[in-house]
Structures are given as C-alpha cells and as structure tokens.
C-alpha cells in the first residue's frame, strides 16, 4: 500500500496580514518618533500626551482610509479585467479554448493532450473563467482581498502599535525613558513575530526592527531638542 503524503501551506493570499503587520510597525515607529521629537523639545507631559493621542487617532484613520482605497481600487481593477475575460469566453469560446491549450503547451504538455485538457476544462464556463483569470491575471474570481478587512486590520494594528509609547504618559510619567523602553520591547517583539511568520531568524527580525525604530526616534528627538534649544 502506498503511504499517503499530505502537506499544508499557510495562507499567502489573504488581505489581512500585510496591512496588519505594516500598521503595527508604522504605528509604533511613527508615534514613538513623534513623541520623542516633542519630548526632545522639553515639552510638558500634557503636551507630549496630547501629541501621542492625536498621532494615534490621525495615523489610524489615515492608515485605514489609505488601505481601503488601495485594496478597493486593486480589486475593482481585477474585477473589471475578469469581466472582460468573461465576455471573451462568451463571444469567442473557441479562440479562448485554443489560448488555454497554448498555455498548457508552453508548460510542456503535449499538444494533443493540451488541447483535450483545454476542451474538457472549457465545458464549465465558471471553471474556464477561473482558469483563464488565474493564468492571465494571476487572480481568481471570489478570492480577491477584502477592502473592509484590510482597512479594519490597518486601523486596529496601527492603534495598538501607536498606543504602546503613549501608555507611560497615560499613567502619569513625565519622562521619555519608560516610553522608550516599552516602545523598544514592542519593536523587538513585533519584528521577532514577523520573522517567525516568514521563517526568518526571530532575533534578526527583532533587532532589525528595533534598529530602524531607534534611529527614527533618535533623529526626531535630536530635531526636537535643536528646535527647543533655539526657540523663544
């Protein structure tokens, strides 16, 4: 008896992972850098807190709106092209069948077998449309990313990331160091988590993200300190 062999892949086509990861990273880095810049200018705790909360709200809504428009536009374009393919299959079925056979031939299938496979697959209009869409457009009808899912993922993940450096100020601290420590832990943890998802070394991913975030915060802190020192 031949042993059965099965393996599974993780979902790489969903519309949630990229915006969620990007949103969390962006929220944490941008809001911490914003807070660091204001704190560098010797602003009061209240001003830093207000800046952080405003940055969280503005950034989360901006990310959600941008992601929604981006994914919706991409999906609408794909749907329009799928509709073109649907009309071509209805108007010129023979030509589309020959085109599909040529695709199989290009992948090494014998011409006779390629023609027969294309003929059988073309008997079902929905199946034919899905195959043509996959081969010619790289998408499948009914499997396009959801703009709403992408927008909600971006909003929530950005808000969570942006909240971390604000938390110490919410609990009464007037120093940047607690926010820096919390942001650093968040950056390293987020980078390590993403690395685990992509099979890259967790410590490399964590350190890389920490370095980028620290650089952004250091630059904005320096700018804030320079402006604060030269201000009235």
């Amino acid at each position: 008896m031949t042993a059965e062999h099965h393996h599974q892949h993780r979902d790489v086509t969903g519309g949630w992972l990229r915006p969620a990861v990007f949103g969390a990273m962006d929220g944490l880095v941008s809001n911490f850098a914003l807070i660091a810049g204001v704190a560098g200018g010797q602003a009061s705790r209240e001003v830093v807190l207000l800046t952080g909360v405003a940055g969280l709200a503005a950034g989360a809504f901006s990310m959600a709106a941008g992601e929604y428009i981006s994914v919706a536009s991409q999906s609408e374009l794909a749907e329009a092209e799928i509709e073109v393919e649907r009309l071509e299959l209805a108007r010129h079925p023979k030509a589309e069948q020959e085109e599909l056979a040529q695709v199989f031939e290009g992948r090494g299938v014998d011409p006779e077998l390629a023609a027969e496979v294309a003929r059988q697959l073309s008997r079902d209009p929905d199946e034919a449309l899905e195959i043509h869409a996959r081969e010619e457009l790289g998408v499948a009808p009914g499997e396009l990313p959801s703009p709403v899912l992408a927008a909600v993922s971006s909003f929530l993940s950005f808000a969570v990331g942006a909240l971390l450096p604000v938390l110490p100020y919410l609990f009464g601290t007037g120093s940047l160091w607690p926010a820096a420590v919390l942001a650093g832990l968040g950056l390293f943890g987020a980078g390590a988590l993403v690395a685990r998802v992509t099979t890259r070394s967790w410590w490399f991913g964590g350190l890389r993200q920490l370095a980028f975030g620290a650089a952004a915060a250091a630059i904005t802190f320096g700018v804030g300190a320079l402006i604060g020192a030269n201000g009235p």
Side-chain angles (χ1 to χ4, degrees):
M1 177 181 289
T2 303
E4 293 186 359
H5 174 71
H6 301 283
H7 69 279
Q8 295 180 335
H9 292 287
R10 288 168 291 185
D11 179 18
V12 298
T13 61
W16 66 272
L17 180 60
R18 185 186 65 86
V21 171
F22 180 71
M25 295 294 192
D26 190 32
L28 185 51
V29 173
S30 64
N31 216 34
F32 177 52
L34 180 63
I35 289 173
V38 176
Q42 303 301 313
S44 66
R45 169 189 167 273
E46 290 75 16
V47 171
V48 176
L49 177 59
L50 176 60
T51 300
V53 173
L56 185 158
F61 280 108
S62 176
M63 281 287 295
E67 197 66 34
Y68 181 90
I69 296 299
S70 174
V71 175
S73 299
Q74 181 181 3
S75 296
E76 289 165 3
L77 175 60
E79 288 169 354
E81 292 301 313
I82 290 172
E83 186 60 29
V84 169
E85 194 63 35
R86 191 193 308 275
L87 292 175
E88 287 298 310
L89 284 167
R91 293 171 180 171
H92 311 289
K94 279 295 184 182
E96 290 297 310
Q97 180 177 320
E98 291 174 2
E99 183 179 291
L100 188 59
Q102 291 173 4
V103 170
F104 293 138
E105 285 185 48
R107 294 189 173 184
V109 180
D110 292 337
E112 295 80 6
L113 180 57
E116 178 60 20
V117 171
R119 185 189 68 79
Q120 293 187 30
L121 292 176
S122 299
R123 290 184 298 192
D124 184 345
D126 292 334
E127 181 73 16
L129 176 62
E130 180 172 346
I131 294 172
H132 278 273
R134 287 185 184 276
E135 293 295 333
E136 298 178 30
L137 305 175
V139 298
E143 296 182 9
L144 298 176
S146 167
V148 174
L149 179 60
V152 172
S153 298
S154 293
F155 182 91
L156 294 178
S157 59
F158 186 100
V160 170
L163 180 63
L164 280 180
V166 179
L167 283 176
Y169 289 93
L170 283 173
F171 286 101
T173 185
S175 170
L176 181 63
W177 283 111
V181 171
L182 194 58
L185 291 174
L187 286 167
F188 184 87
L193 179 62
V194 172
R196 289 295 300 271
V197 172
T198 59
T199 70
R200 183 182 286 273
S201 172
W202 64 270
W203 58 266
F204 175 83
L207 289 176
R208 179 177 62 178
Q209 191 59 38
L210 178 59
F212 287 150
I219 292 172
T220 53
F221 181 88
V223 171
L226 181 63
I227 294 176
N230 295 330

